[in-house]
């Protein structure tokens, strides 16, 4: 048993050594260098025009960030205490990288699209903008079965809106005017930046710097930077936001919800994850895990009110206007029973099983249900007592679901990657709010006086 425990602890220890090498700059350099190579390969080999356009611009952005980190490393060798290698400087390079690898290609493609290029956005951008226009005209973002069937065969895919009703809000600017600034991706980026900024602020106000580290350069502050890098400059997120983008506000709202939970604000956490659930179904598992976390702190009702209430309120108008259209778009189409099939066909195990084996879709669905049941049993028997543990369950659970879904795509990996990277940032709870949050429970779930500065995990 001791040997097994030692082996289990080796991986985190090795990761910490890699993360801390050269004050974190070594991993920064590796991240930006590898991302530059990925962007260059994408620019030269991708079969999707928006992806090639992203790679052409982003490769130079990542290279610029890598050169900036190389300069930081050189400055650190001359003076280990130089501000050029400190955490604020690393944040500045991260901001530079996001601006040049995500925002710049996004704005370039939006401007080119407004000028008449039809190959500068993925289908989901057009779908969201059409749903916003329908919301204004009919009161629902969805077309019914008959209306989709009446479209030309090559336009039926764009007639489906496989999102929750709240996603149509990002298409409203396009319903008002036609310009680069009304591109749905611009508003995806605005929402993502705002939600991530709120998440960072929640962690900073909920848990101050460690003792003896008033500058905020403790382990948690470093972990927050890593989490933000994973959600912004990592290619799976940067490429997605610049070319499609609908997943990024959902992800950012989930990260905000976990940050609010870690800082002892379950009611606000429920509203944040509820807002994510009003955009896309991917947030609903995160909401269920957070409700399980809140149950261990006797505040499940406060969190569930927002987590379940906000999506319900978003669904109500669409349900009242055209129930059949809602079912056709958010249930039948994602389950493969629409007039056309989803183009999300990445070769993960679930898709390979569904296409290669007899009754493969049934087998893949059974495996997906079995994985969901296993996670549900885990939540019932051992609910997460910390926000960090909840983030890990969400990350690994969504990873299993993405791998086993018959219809999926590589871009969905941004959810588990970002959630798992965010977990270390949630690990140190706020010393003050523990008592009112738990109602007499310590952060570890046992009765007694709340422990001060007790690590979450």
């Amino acid at each position: 048993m001791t040997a097994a425990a030692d082996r289990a602890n080796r991986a985190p220890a090795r990761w910490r050594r890699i993360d801390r090498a050269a004050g974190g700059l070594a991993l920064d350099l590796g991240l930006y260098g590898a991302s530059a190579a990925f962007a260059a390969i994408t620019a030269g080999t991708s079969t999707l025009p928006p992806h090639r356009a992203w790679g052409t611009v982003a490769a130079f952005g990542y290279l610029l960030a890598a050169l900036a980190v190389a300069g930081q490393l050189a400055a650190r060798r001359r003076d280990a205490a130089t501000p050029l290698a400190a955490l604020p400087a690393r944040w500045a390079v991260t901001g530079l990288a996001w601006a040049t690898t995500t925002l710049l290609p996004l704005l370039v493609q939006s401007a080119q699209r407004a000028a008449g290029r039809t190959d500068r956005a993925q289908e989901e951008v057009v779908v969201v903008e059409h749903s916003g226009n329908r919301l204004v005209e009919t009161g629902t973002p969805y077309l019914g079965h008959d209306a989709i069937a009446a479209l030309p065969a090559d336009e039926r895919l764009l007639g489906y809106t496989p999102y929750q009703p709240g996603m149509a809000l990002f298409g409203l600017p396009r319903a008002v005017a036609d310009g680069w600034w009304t591109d749905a991706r611009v508003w995806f980026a605005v929402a993502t930046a705002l939600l991530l900024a709120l998440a960072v602020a929640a962690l900073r106000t909920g848990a101050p710097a460690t003792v003896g580290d008033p500058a905020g350069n403790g382990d948690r502050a470093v972990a927050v930077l890593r989490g933000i890098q994973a959600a912004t400059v990592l290619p799976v997120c940067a490429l997605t936001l610049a070319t499609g983008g609908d997943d990024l506000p959902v992800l950012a709202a989930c990260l905000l919800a976990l940050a609010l939970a870690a800082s002892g604000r379950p009611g606000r956490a429920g509203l944040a994850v509820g807002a994510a659930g009003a955009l896309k179904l991917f947030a609903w598992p995160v909401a269920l895990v957070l409700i399980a976390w809140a149950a261990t702190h006797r505040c499940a009702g406060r969190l569930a009110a927002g987590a379940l209430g906000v999506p319900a309120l978003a669904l109500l108008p669409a349900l009242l206007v055209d129930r059949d259209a809602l079912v056709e778009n958010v249930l039948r189409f994602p389950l493969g029973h629409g007039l056309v099939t989803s183009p999300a066909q990445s070769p993960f195990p679930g898709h390979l099983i569904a296409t290669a084996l007899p009754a493969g879709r049934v087998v893949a669905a059974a495996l997906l249900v079995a994985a969901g049941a296993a996670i549900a049993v885990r939540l019932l028997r051992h609910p997460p007592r910390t926000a960090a543990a909840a983030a890990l369950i969400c990350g690994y659970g969504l990873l299993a679901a993405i791998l086993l879904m018959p219809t999926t795509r590589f871009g969905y990996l941004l959810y588990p990657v970002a959630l798992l990277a965010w977990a270390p940032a949630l690990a140190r709870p706020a010393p003050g709010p523990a008592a009112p949050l738990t109602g007499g429970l310590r952060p570890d779930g046992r009765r007694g006086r709340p422990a001060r500065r007790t690590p979450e995990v």
Side-chain angles (χ1 to χ4, degrees):
M1 290 178 63
T2 303
D6 289 342
R7 284 194 299 271
N9 289 330
R10 263 183 222 139
R14 281 197 297 268
W15 168 251
R16 284 194 294 271
R17 286 197 297 272
I18 294 172
D19 188 28
R20 295 173 180 175
L25 294 174
L27 189 56
D28 286 350
L29 183 61
L31 169 64
Y32 299 131
S35 298
F38 176 88
I41 292 171
T42 300
T45 64
S46 177
T47 59
L48 301 174
H51 287 205
R52 290 200 307 273
W54 169 82
T56 301
V57 178
F60 292 100
Y62 284 123
L63 181 60
L64 180 62
L67 291 175
V69 175
Q72 290 177 302
L73 283 168
R76 188 176 185 273
R77 289 193 192 98
R78 292 193 298 269
D79 179 8
T82 178
L84 293 176
L87 193 60
R90 292 176 60 200
W91 272 104
V93 174
T94 299
L96 171 68
W98 196 54
T100 55
T101 66
T102 306
L103 299 183
L104 179 59
L106 185 160
L107 294 175
V108 169
Q109 293 197 37
S110 298
Q112 291 175 342
R113 182 177 175 225
R117 291 289 297 266
T118 59
D119 61 347
R120 284 298 180 261
Q122 292 187 178
E123 290 86 352
E124 52 263 40
V125 178
V126 179
V127 168
V128 170
E129 292 173 353
H130 286 177
S131 69
N133 190 62
R134 284 194 293 270
L135 181 64
V136 172
E137 293 179 349
T138 67
T140 177
Y142 305 114
L143 284 177
H145 178 277
D146 293 341
I148 296 174
L151 295 173
D154 59 348
E155 296 181 14
R156 289 174 184 171
L157 178 61
L158 296 181
Y160 278 99
T161 304
Y163 310 121
Q164 297 300 288
M167 190 65 75
L169 297 178
F170 292 100
L172 291 179
R174 195 61 139 194
V176 176
D178 190 5
W180 68 265
W181 62 272
T182 64
D183 192 299
R185 289 170 293 181
V186 173
W187 299 99
F188 290 148
V190 170
T192 299
L194 176 61
L195 291 168
L196 290 178
L198 291 174
V200 173
L203 292 175
R204 286 180 175 173
T205 57
T210 55
V211 175
D213 188 18
N217 293 329
D219 289 344
R220 185 176 201 178
V222 174
V224 170
L225 173 61
R226 284 286 180 235
I228 294 298
Q229 287 176 328
T232 55
V233 299
L234 201 67
V236 69
C237 293
L239 169 62
T240 300
L241 183 54
T243 61
D246 57 282
D247 288 294
L248 269 300
V250 182
L251 172 65
C254 290
L255 299 182
L256 172 59
L258 288 162
L260 291 168
S263 59
R265 287 167 274 194
R268 296 182 185 182
L271 291 174
V273 77
L279 300 177
K280 208 165 187 180
L281 284 173
F282 265 109
W284 289 25
V286 179
L288 294 178
V289 174
L290 279 172
I291 291 172
W293 164 83
T296 67
H297 296 278
R298 299 183 180 179
C299 57
R302 292 165 59 193
L303 193 144
L308 303 180
V310 174
L313 289 174
L315 283 168
L316 185 59
L319 189 65
L320 294 175
V321 172
D322 193 336
R323 181 187 64 184
D324 291 337
L326 174 66
V327 173
E328 177 72 21
N329 284 265
V330 303
L331 290 179
R332 292 189 190 128
F333 176 72
L335 293 176
H337 299 296
L339 293 170
V340 292
T341 58
S342 171
Q345 306 290 336
S346 295
F348 288 140
H351 175 69
L352 296 177
I353 291 172
T355 55
L357 296 181
R361 292 192 70 89
V362 176
V363 175
L367 291 174
L368 184 60
V369 170
I375 295 171
V377 171
R378 163 68 167 79
L379 288 175
L380 290 173
R381 296 186 61 182
H382 304 288
R385 296 186 178 275
T386 66
L392 292 175
I393 294 173
C394 292
Y396 287 120
L398 285 175
L399 177 61
I402 291 166
L403 294 178
L404 292 175
M405 285 191 300
T407 301
T408 187
R409 60 179 58 183
F410 282 113
Y412 292 156
L413 290 175
L414 65 89
Y415 287 99
V417 168
L419 287 165
L420 294 175
W422 193 239
L426 310 172
R428 186 180 297 276
L437 169 64
T438 61
L441 297 181
R442 288 161 47 179
D444 59 9
R446 296 194 296 270
R447 293 193 176 278
R449 295 182 61 188
R452 294 180 64 84
R453 299 188 185 275
T454 303
E456 273 198 338
V457 292

